[in-house]
Amino acid sequence: MIKVSIVGATGYVGIELIRLLQQHPEVQIKDLISKSNANKKLVDVYPQFRGSKLEKQTLMAIKDFKPEESELIFTALPHGVSQDISFQLVKSGTRIIDMSGDFRYHEIDIYEKWYGVEHKHPELAKKAVYGLTELNRAQIKEAQLIANPGCYVTASLLGILPLIDSDFIKSDSIIIDAKSGVSGAGRSLKSNLLFSECHNTMKAYSPAVHRHSSEIEYILNEFLRGSYDNRSSKKRAEVLFTPHLIPIKRGILATIYLDCSRKSSAREIYDLYADFYGEEKFIQILKDELPEVKNVAGSNFAQIGFKYDQRTDRIIVVSVLDNMLKGAAGQAVQNMNTVFAFAEDAGLEATALFP
Amino acid sequence: MIKVSIVGATGYVGIELIRLLQQHPEVQIKDLISKSNANKKLVDVYPQFRGSKLEKQTLMAIKDFKPEESELIFTALPHGVSQDISFQLVKSGTRIIDMSGDFRYHEIDIYEKWYGVEHKHPELAKKAVYGLTELNRAQIKEAQLIANPGCYVTASLLGILPLIDSDFIKSDSIIIDAKSGVSGAGRSLKSNLLFSECHNTMKAYSPAVHRHSSEIEYILNEFLRGSYDNRSSKKRAEVLFTPHLIPIKRGILATIYLDCSRKSSAREIYDLYADFYGEEKFIQILKDELPEVKNVAGSNFAQIGFKYDQRTDRIIVVSVLDNMLKGAAGQAVQNMNTVFAFAEDAGLEATALFP
Amino acid sequence: MIKVSIVGATGYVGIELIRLLQQHPEVQIKDLISKSNANKKLVDVYPQFRGSKLEKQTLMAIKDFKPEESELIFTALPHGVSQDISFQLVKSGTRIIDMSGDFRYHEIDIYEKWYGVEHKHPELAKKAVYGLTELNRAQIKEAQLIANPGCYVTASLLGILPLIDSDFIKSDSIIIDAKSGVSGAGRSLKSNLLFSECHNTMKAYSPAVHRHSSEIEYILNEFLRGSYDNRSSKKRAEVLFTPHLIPIKRGILATIYLDCSRKSSAREIYDLYADFYGEEKFIQILKDELPEVKNVAGSNFAQIGFKYDQRTDRIIVVSVLDNMLKGAAGQAVQNMNTVFAFAEDAGLEATALFP
Amino acid sequence: MIKVSIVGATGYVGIELIRLLQQHPEVQIKDLISKSNANKKLVDVYPQFRGSKLEKQTLMAIKDFKPEESELIFTALPHGVSQDISFQLVKSGTRIIDMSGDFRYHEIDIYEKWYGVEHKHPELAKKAVYGLTELNRAQIKEAQLIANPGCYVTASLLGILPLIDSDFIKSDSIIIDAKSGVSGAGRSLKSNLLFSECHNTMKAYSPAVHRHSSEIEYILNEFLRGSYDNRSSKKRAEVLFTPHLIPIKRGILATIYLDCSRKSSAREIYDLYADFYGEEKFIQILKDELPEVKNVAGSNFAQIGFKYDQRTDRIIVVSVLDNMLKGAAGQAVQNMNTVFAFAEDAGLEATALFP
């Protein structure tokens, strides 16, 4: 049993971490830190935790938090805010899994350009390890600070990585059309997140300029240049990414368009996925069918299907996951399991909640 | 580890049982029987089970099923259909938990009147034990055939039972206004269950004549006459019940109106609930707040809140649960745990999935 | 053509009024007053008005508004706020239709008790005319200040009024269980109105203490004592009202429980409705079926169905309407039509938008 | 006033036509033909028409229908079925607007290949006129048989046509990622259209092989070769189209990706749209913002926005419309208005229903 704390415990990612950790066989939840709800009882803010182990847990202000008493801390804070807090927490020597965008880039200028803020701790960012488990397991095991990937990014990378370095894929003309449920936007009080504004409608937003664009492209390029294995590809990735807001609670569906430089086949493409993921527990490659959000919502699984269109020489990849789980808290727990050598699916065994 | 099978495995209740049982620490799923999908692989009908222990499970026709090889069988069949099949299965000596309405009444004439069908095995119905766990735990432990309660019925009874025999409650003028998500209607192909017909609308249906009316009233009267404990009340229950269809997937909210024969207080009423449920794991009584479906959806918990209105001498009770869990499959597993003396919440530890 | 202005034009009721009025054959929209969006173009706040007559309309600050230049002003403001503004506007001599609760009560103490605020202009409230068109048409025609009814109140009164003074109905034990879509809560930034908090769940709120309780009961008692016709009943109304929030955009469904003092029949009850409403354009009484929200959402119609339950001596009335139309802006336009002797359905001819 | 009939009146497109036509100032609805509901009253099938002019209308079997008594007939039938029926109706000399895919292609082999059925009346298909009003107004005015476009097709073409023949747009690498509400799938009883299967989830379907792919590509090529004006372009269109099912009732959002062969600018692109659509009533081009479904749902408007991404040399076009209106029945009425020289927006003046 390890002692785990969460800083930023009452945002949606925070409570998803709580939900998972309170049933984790190897974890004892220690402190739950919340700025907006300090000193309240958790069950008074989120009544779904009545009847759980956390029935009596009180939320803590960060000034009262002693990081060295935990063996792992999840920081679930807005980007910008996380820079300083994680910097302070790292000093305690405790391992950190950070859910924000603040430590996902070793190239600070890319971060600063796309996020529009200065990075105060670039040296720490350069030491952070990118937490896409299936991509970077070896480094994750040794990391003190893990930068957990963005939700759109996880869905996109899982669909693209197995193909991008193949000889017949054009890596520099990738289009990602992604659709997300509303929980991905968090609990902030914005009029465009009101039920009456979101329900029974949909929209595109931030086309070509969403921050996750840069993260997808950056990680693909790191991958091609060998940062996660021994490869050294001459290819370079360029990504056009358009997110959409869809009136569901949980779930991301990324439709990815890849150009081919020669004829291929469904079999060849399937084999690339199968080789890349092998026995990966949480990645499911579908043959001759496409995934739906309901297959994975409530679980840590990602499902990937594809269609090879010989007529237009393109591959359409469809990648789905639950943005709160494999897209955020679930992958964070998977990373924790990796770090502490627990079973990788400990606490993550649930299948999708359907209907 | 016990071996458990499900007859009617591919309806919504069937797959919810599968979802729960495949992660249950004491259960091995043996056979999954399906009429409509026999000989198909489960994952080809319900892709959410990819990656689970049931990845390779094939659905079985009932003619190939050997009930004596299981230690427990769940029958998740339409009422009417379940009568015969459960009758046959009982002969094997295996314990049965039946999800239909067929064995919930010892008084067969009530069943026949409200269900509009003849009961072919009334003697078996009389031996069946009603499976509202918190009400009937002692008998459930010894039962061979457990009749699992209806979803509306569970929500209603949990809210009414602690009060009905009190001196100041009028038991014969109970009004229940219940609202259910659409999953409660199952997967049948009816035009009124299409998305375009259900979404963004709501309706009442079967006011005063829904079958669950009779079940609620029947069990309340059984309770008053002492069938579940040693009481012998002279009171008699009469219930007016109106269900409504609401465009959510899971969840029942029952708003119950009780007349008082004298002034009472919130304190007195709370104490009745607290006394009745004591340390019950799955029943949560709220003080000074009302429950919402999101607090329990995805969990086996029921939450009950109430408002005492001195002005009109009435109590408004609000009872919520997940119709697939405490309202169906979850309670069935709870009953299984009771029968086999497993921890009552084994396999049922999940808190609500929110957001 | 009359000139009409709206004060509070960019709330949900305000824009619904705009939507209706811009297509009204007898109306020219003059000024649109908005505190939060003054000096912006309407289409920049609500892009659905592109392509309409209001394409170029700019929102006005109230300090620039000259009420005497309009022949009718709709005030769509929060209660409390409307008291003063309507008081000022009335001085201009222009007719006012007020959408708030501020002028619905002649008995100021009831208002002050249930709304928890002092009324600064009680003498004006006493002169205001209650705007349930079908109940009070004669007075509406002559009114300078019309208090447009609450949404829940309209749905409830339409279902109850035809029966309440009948010899076999107990008027003092009425229970109303009402369900509303989220648009009824307006556009205010509250976390409980976020999509992620409302979707796929439901809840009861303010049982027995919601302000509309008092409005329903007050108007029923005014009706019984003859304020709207020549009757003089000795009956007195008492109402228990519980609202619920349902994840749809538009629509109210009120389920009303009435006790009978003797046996009645569906025929007798139907005749009471038929007599009361006669040729009313917007009220539809259903025989042998129940209404659904989708039958009326997008239209100014109310549909009422009922079930007489001989077993429990009760009538279950189900009344549905669109909270934005017959429950607010539609009824306000109907009142305008009445005042100016336009066809009562001018601008209100739409049938429900389905699917 | 012209007499208009509908064959296939009780499908979703049929009732949307009824909804529009019953308020049309120049139309008298004559006969409503329905196979599945012949001899029933319309209001017994669709209660939302209570209170309308159609209160007493009875649905007719086609054998009783005399087409020569109408001046226009809408055929709202499944493809395949419409071939023969429209062929018979055309003989009467009455004008026909056909909602199916059966008469949208002059090149019958494309139809037969993508629809997988033989065309029995190719000569009639060759005489039919394609009914995208803004594209083909001159021919529509003279047509006897108008083939009303598909819903996805209308959204896609409206976004692409103004740009495709420009010197800097690559016409042969168009990607369309389209999202549709569920009403587009009609009222057929398929399990994948049940509320419990569609709600709170999303999916892609028929990537690259959906029939609307071929219609979009075919019409773009017809346009390039000058079938609708005097142009004669050497360009050729190739389209990759992927539709998605989204849990809303009405609305299509098409995200279109166009490659540029040289640097362009938002200004240049906006001017292309502005030139192409000029004073078109129903087409709205947005500057510096993107459209949302809620801006148009319930109206006949299409809104188009775009983002020029200099980094990747691509244009992202977002086109939205209501699939029941501009995507089906609304455009059909617009075509009727064009044929009979009514105001083009007669009966189509509604703005979006929001919230």
Side-chain angles (χ1 to χ4, degrees), chain B residues 107-178:
Chain B
E107 296 186 28
I108 302 305
D109 55 338
I110 300 180
Y111 171 84
E112 294 188 335
K113 177 180 159 199
W114 287 77
Y115 279 72
V117 293
E118 190 193 357
H119 205 304
K120 297 181 204 158
H121 304 289
E123 72 299 337
L124 181 58
K126 281 172 194 162
K127 279 190 281 187
V129 164
Y130 193 69
L132 186 68
T133 327
E134 288 77 10
L135 175 66
N136 207 17
R137 196 174 275 115
Q139 295 185 46
I140 289 166
K141 281 181 185 169
E142 308 301 325
Q144 196 204 344
L145 172 59
I146 295 169
N148 216 61
C151 50
Y152 281 127
V153 183
T154 299
S156 301
L157 290 177
L158 289 174
I160 298 170
L161 284 168
L163 305 185
I164 192 171
D165 198 20
S166 301
D167 68 294
F168 66 101
I169 301 289
K170 297 186 191 168
S171 61
D172 60 354
S173 64
I174 299 171
I175 290 176
I176 304 169
D177 188 286

Side-chain angles (χ1 to χ4, degrees), chain A residues 162-163 266-280 283-287 306:
Chain A
L163 305 186
R267 178 62 181 270
E268 179 180 26
I269 296 162
Y270 182 85
D271 287 347
L272 287 170
Y273 280 111
D275 287 353
F276 194 88
Y277 290 120
E279 299 296 306
E280 283 293 349
I283 314 298
Q284 305 177 353
I285 309 303
L286 305 187
K287 240 181 190 159
F306 66 90

Side-chain angles (χ1 to χ4, degrees), chain B residues 12 46 182-184 186-201 246-249, chain D residues 12 46 182-184 186-201 246-249:
Chain B
Y12 286 159
Y46 286 107
V182 183
S183 64
R187 208 190 195 190
S188 45
L189 283 182
K190 294 177 186 163
S191 67
N192 60 0
L193 299 180
L194 292 174
F195 181 87
S196 294
E197 303 284 325
C198 292
H199 185 62
N200 224 9
T201 184
I246 303 294
I248 66 171
K249 274 193 166 172
Chain D
Y12 285 159
Y46 286 107
V182 183
S183 64
R187 208 192 197 188
S188 44
L189 283 182
K190 294 177 186 163
S191 67
N192 60 359
L193 299 179
L194 292 174
F195 181 88
S196 295
E197 303 284 326
C198 293
H199 186 62
N200 225 8
T201 184
I246 302 294
I248 67 172
K249 274 194 165 172

Side-chain angles (χ1 to χ4, degrees), chain A residues 192-264:
Chain A
N192 60 0
L193 299 181
L194 292 174
F195 181 88
S196 295
E197 304 283 328
C198 292
H199 185 62
N200 223 11
T201 184
M202 51 182 159
K203 66 172 176 180
Y205 65 101
S206 305
V209 299
H210 190 281
R211 287 170 185 129
H212 286 182
S213 270
S214 68
E215 186 180 335
I216 298 166
E217 199 173 282
Y218 171 69
I219 300 296
L220 288 175
N221 279 313
E222 287 292 299
F223 171 72
L224 289 170
R225 78 171 60 106
S227 296
Y228 309 111
D229 55 19
N230 293 328
R231 92 182 55 212
S232 171
S233 172
K234 292 195 175 145
K235 291 177 125 182
R236 188 185 147 272
E238 191 176 87
V239 170
L240 177 60
F241 171 75
T242 305
H244 298 74
L245 192 68
I246 302 293
I248 67 172
K249 275 194 165 170
R250 288 168 175 246
I252 283 180
L253 185 147
T255 311
I256 303 162
Y257 299 91
L258 300 173
D259 292 336
C260 300
S261 56
R262 63 155 166 82
K263 293 294 171 203
S264 176

Side-chain angles (χ1 to χ4, degrees), chain D residues 106 128-130 136-143 146 227-229:
Chain D
H106 291 170
V129 163
Y130 193 69
N136 207 16
R137 196 174 275 114
Q139 294 185 45
I140 290 167
K141 281 181 185 170
E142 308 302 324
I146 296 169
S227 297
Y228 310 111
D229 56 18

Side-chain angles (χ1 to χ4, degrees), chain A residues 12 182-183 187-191 193-199 247-249, chain C residues 12 182-183 187-191 193-199 247-249:
Chain A
Y12 286 159
V182 182
S183 64
R187 208 192 195 188
S188 45
L189 282 181
K190 295 177 185 162
S191 68
L193 299 181
L194 292 174
F195 181 88
S196 295
E197 304 283 328
C198 292
H199 185 62
I248 67 172
K249 275 194 165 170
Chain C
Y12 286 158
V182 183
S183 65
R187 209 191 195 190
S188 45
L189 283 182
K190 295 178 187 163
S191 67
L193 298 180
L194 292 174
F195 181 88
S196 295
E197 303 284 327
C198 292
H199 186 62
I248 67 172
K249 274 193 165 170

Side-chain angles (χ1 to χ4, degrees), chain A residues 21 60 102 105 116 140 152 178 181 186 188 212 250 334:
Chain A
L21 294 173
M60 181 184 277
D102 281 352
Y105 302 76
I140 289 166
Y152 282 127
S188 45
H212 286 182
R250 288 168 175 246
Q334 192 184 351

